[in-house]
Amino acid sequence: QVQLVESGGGLVQAGGSLRLSCAASGRFLSVNAMGWYRQAPGKQRELVATITSGGSTNYADSVKGRFTISRDNAKNTVYLQMSSLKPEDTAVYYCNADVRRFSTYPYTVYWGQGTQVTVSS
């Protein structure tokens, strides 16, 4: 089985910073794209940022210039550095990863359990 474990969430004041981490563990062959999504109360889950295994990144317009996604392929870990946080960034943040478990298997998307980020005004 594949597990994604997030860490680094918490409570921060507006203008502050937080760094989220998400590590993939278990038995698998390779990890392709990894990403972060978030879901605020009463809203749909939305894309925050994604990164390919080659390092190409994509960001939601709402976080461009404030958030940075990165990854350590050797550790199968993706990070989200969040700066200049705003109250509207408050949400549960989920990581996902496109994982191939075995050579004869297709890539499958796995999700973490989520970590709460709360930004106070």
Side-chain angles (χ1 to χ4, degrees), residues 22-105:
C22 173
S25 63
R27 185 180 177 188
F28 53 86
L29 191 63
S30 61
V31 180
N32 195 2
M34 303 183 81
W36 290 96
Y37 291 71
R38 66 186 181 186
Q39 187 167 18
K43 295 187 176 181
Q44 289 188 331
R45 190 173 297 188
E46 63 176 5
L47 168 73
V48 177
T50 61
I51 184 168
T52 67
S53 57
S56 296
T57 59
N58 179 52
Y59 294 92
D61 288 343
S62 59
V63 306
K64 281 181 181 177
R66 300 188 298 120
F67 291 10
T68 302
I69 189 170
S70 61
R71 65 189 285 172
D72 184 332
N73 289 334
K75 296 181 179 180
N76 295 308
T77 299
V78 62
Y79 306 96
L80 186 68
Q81 178 66 49
M82 305 184 292
S83 302
S84 301
L85 282 161
K86 305 175 181 179
E88 51 263 44
D89 294 318
T90 295
V92 177
Y93 284 69
Y94 299 89
C95 72
N96 76 357
D98 202 18
V99 178
R100 172 171 280 178
R101 294 195 65 199
F102 306 103
S103 61
T104 56
Y105 282 36

